Amino acid sequence: DAKAGKNPFEGLTPEVPQGERLTGPESGPGSKAYANFEVKGMAQLAKTCFCLVAGGLGERLGYPGIKIGITAELTSGMTFMELYARSILAFQKYARKSSGNAALELPLAIMTSGDTNAKTLELLEANAYFGLSRSQVTIMKQELVPALMDIDAKIAVKDGKVEKKPHGHGDVHALLHQHGLPQKWTSEGREWLLLFQ
């Protein structure tokens, strides 16, 4: 369709969905309305799972390694992966107390790629999973697919070999399904999935 110049959205009118705007003094951070939404969200933490999309390298950001290994906070040297793990552990601590289940673990699925899988495992292992237990972390490696050069879908070739790249963020849903996580998590009473990157 794109090559033919056809617009797949022809005749459709975009609309802003109904909802709450959590900005400004009336409903933004620090407001009573915002605090009320936080309380509602905190009540759901024991039913929450997390998924990190981590298939990319930091090359476009001028970083030689994986993006989750980039320093997120300069004074402590904390990486993005540590920041994510600490956040999940803080949520988990609250959920354990509010649910009365001292053994509760909030699951984390991490989508990696051929470019990031080994380095992600190395980062986790070298840092004792940043306090997360190994049993609460699932690594889902996406496969590489032939890279396309242009809108004509010509396959990219370099040095006589087909270039391959990670499939992209859209792969996360299929990988969650292939690993049986939606079924597992719903059987555990989980209702919410927070995807972050």
Side-chain angles (χ1 to χ4, degrees):
D1 283 347
K3 185 178 177 185
K6 182 179 176 187
N7 180 353
F9 303 107
E10 186 76 38
L12 300 175
T13 304
E15 296 179 22
V16 176
Q18 294 294 318
E20 297 283 335
R21 287 190 176 271
L22 300 177
T23 60
E26 297 297 319
S27 61
S31 70
K32 185 174 182 178
Y34 195 91
N36 288 337
F37 280 116
E38 280 193 328
V39 168
K40 287 180 181 180
M42 289 170 66
Q44 298 298 310
L45 285 174
K47 301 175 185 176
T48 304
C49 308
F50 298 86
C51 183
L52 172 59
V53 178
L57 296 169
E59 57 202 4
R60 289 179 301 196
L61 304 170
Y63 182 73
I66 56 176
K67 284 191 238 179
I68 61 172
I70 294 174
T71 301
E73 203 280 309
L74 292 176
T75 57
S76 68
M78 183 186 311
T79 64
F80 279 104
M81 184 63 234
E82 182 176 359
L83 178 64
Y84 299 144
R86 283 187 180 194
S87 297
I88 292 169
L89 289 168
F91 292 147
Q92 182 172 284
K93 181 178 178 181
Y94 181 88
R96 284 178 171 178
K97 185 175 180 182
S98 65
S99 70
N101 180 354
L104 176 71
E105 290 186 335
L106 300 181
L108 169 64
I110 302 175
M111 183 179 83
T112 64
S113 69
D115 292 333
T116 65
N117 192 69
K119 291 178 182 179
T120 298
L121 288 168
E122 182 180 307
L123 180 66
L124 290 169
E125 294 285 341
N127 293 281
Y129 280 67
F130 298 99
L132 299 168
S133 73
R134 290 174 190 236
S135 63
Q136 79 187 100
V137 178
T138 302
I139 303 294
M140 309 178 302
K141 181 181 169 193
Q142 65 180 163
E143 296 303 319
L144 299 176
V145 295
L148 304 178
M149 290 178 28
D150 53 32
I151 200 163
D152 292 322
K154 292 179 187 162
I155 295 187
V157 176
K158 185 175 183 179
D159 299 326
K161 295 183 180 179
V162 173
E163 279 195 271
K164 293 185 176 184
K165 297 285 181 183
H167 197 246
H169 289 176
D171 227 10
V172 71
H173 304 97
L175 285 170
L176 287 165
H177 178 72
Q178 288 168 9
H179 283 78
L181 295 178
Q183 299 84 349
K184 178 181 188 288
W185 291 341
T186 54
S187 74
E188 296 171 350
R190 315 286 182 178
E191 296 180 15
W192 307 103
L193 174 62
L194 175 68
L195 284 125
F196 54 102
Q197 58 180 344

